[in-house]
Amino acid sequence: MTDRSASAQPSSERTDNEISGSSRIGGNAYQARTIHFGGRSVGLTLVSLALVAALTVVVIVVTRGGGEQRHPAAASTPTTAVVTPPTTASSVTPTPAPTPSQAAPSAAASAAAGSQPRDAPAPKPTTGSVPFAGPNLYCGNWRSAKQSANLKVASCVQVNPSASSATFGVMVKNVGRTQVVARALVQTVGLGAPECPQGRYSPTNLRIDPGGIWFSDLARCAVGGLNGKDFQAVGFAIEDPDGTGDIQQGAAVYSVHPSLKDGQLKCKINEVWTSCAPAAYPPND
């Protein structure tokens, strides 16, 4: 029977962990080349570190001056290192200086601007008038003035049946966007003379604001002795800023057509003598 050394172990008593490929370095010490853990080998050498470094992809991004960018093909390893060069003073885009057009105005330009008036002149006061009022006041419709698109005209008659008299007037409306200066004319129709008994009534220099209405003075054209007569008012208006316009350039705008007989008042509307009520003041547009 062969004797075994006390230090020897049977093969069945070896563990999964063993030191292999070793060399003896004096005494009982060994220089390990490979350590086996559960059947898996891990090399603890500098070669492993070098392998990791070799598989790292370096992407260099060139940003200076808007140059091209180079991107190598992506590696199969999950770890990617990105190296970005630090920002230097040469890579910063300077803010452009203001152009002459953006600079502050020169002293000469400022002085020229200061010499101009800051406030526009105020419009002149409008020409005052008194709106028509009272009973038995009848008008024709608003009509556009022939000479000016900014003016509309309506003519009216106010009748006093018991006195067999009437007064005649005209209304001028500014339908423009700025103040107008106008001239107007009031006349009668059907009574022989077109002029009013008080004389020619044609006021000038009438200043009317946008949307405003100027009313003539009914007392300036009053007529009596109208029993058995029919009559009308006729009005004209033009824009006349310099006071030299011809009033006849404006279209004739007629009032409703009344008639007085024995104190009975009727109006001719659409060629039919009927009640004057449909023509009651104010006029229709």
Side-chain angles (χ1 to χ4, degrees):
M1 182 174 182
T2 303
D3 294 335
R4 294 182 180 178
S5 173
S7 61
Q9 292 181 344
S11 61
S12 60
E13 292 180 2
R14 286 187 177 182
T15 63
D16 291 334
N17 302 331
E18 67 178 23
I19 299 175
S20 64
S22 60
S23 61
R24 184 177 185 83
I25 307 177
N28 295 324
Y30 289 85
Q31 182 179 9
R33 293 181 182 175
T34 306
I35 303 174
H36 295 275
F37 295 98
R40 291 189 299 271
S41 299
V42 179
L44 299 179
T45 65
L46 293 176
V47 177
S48 298
L49 296 177
L51 178 61
V52 173
L55 293 177
T56 301
V57 178
V58 178
V59 178
I60 299 177
V61 180
V62 180
T63 59
R64 182 179 304 173
E68 64 178 3
Q69 297 181 355
R70 293 178 295 171
H71 299 279
S76 60
T77 58
T79 303
T80 301
V82 179
V83 178
T84 302
T87 302
T88 62
S90 61
S91 65
V92 178
T93 303
T95 302
T99 62
S101 61
Q102 297 174 337
S106 63
S110 300
S115 63
Q116 298 177 354
R118 295 182 179 180
D119 298 327
K124 294 184 179 181
T126 58
T127 303
S129 61
V130 179
F132 297 156
N136 302 318
L137 179 59
Y138 308 104
C139 305
N141 296 334
W142 286 107
R143 303 293 184 188
S144 296
K146 178 181 179 181
Q147 179 258 6
S148 172
N150 293 324
L151 299 179
K152 282 192 172 184
V153 183
S155 298
C156 303
V157 177
Q158 188 166 29
V159 182
N160 185 346
S162 61
S164 297
S165 64
T167 55
F168 302 78
V170 64
M171 307 163 61
V172 182
K173 178 165 60 174
N174 179 1
V175 296
R177 296 183 177 181
T178 59
Q179 187 183 81
V180 297
V181 181
R183 172 194 296 260
L185 174 65
V186 180
Q187 290 183 333
T188 63
V189 176
L191 300 177
E195 292 188 2
C196 303
Q198 292 78 18
R200 181 179 173 84
Y201 184 25
S202 183
T204 62
N205 200 34
L206 305 174
R207 295 186 177 275
I208 310 171
D209 284 342
I213 300 175
W214 174 84
F215 301 83
S216 69
D217 184 354
L218 292 175
R220 292 287 302 272
C221 192
V223 181
L226 297 179
N227 186 43
K229 297 182 179 180
D230 54 271
F231 42 87
Q232 287 177 281
V234 60
F236 298 80
I238 61 170
E239 281 195 64
D240 189 28
D242 56 6
T244 61
D246 181 3
I247 192 64
Q248 299 301 326
Q249 291 179 353
V253 179
Y254 293 89
S255 71
V256 70
H257 192 171
S259 173
L260 266 177
K261 186 175 182 179
D262 299 330
Q264 297 296 316
L265 175 63
K266 292 184 178 181
C267 285
K268 191 176 184 179
I269 300 175
N270 297 326
E271 302 301 322
V272 177
W273 289 100
T274 183
S275 168
C276 294
Y281 175 86
N284 298 321
D285 288 330

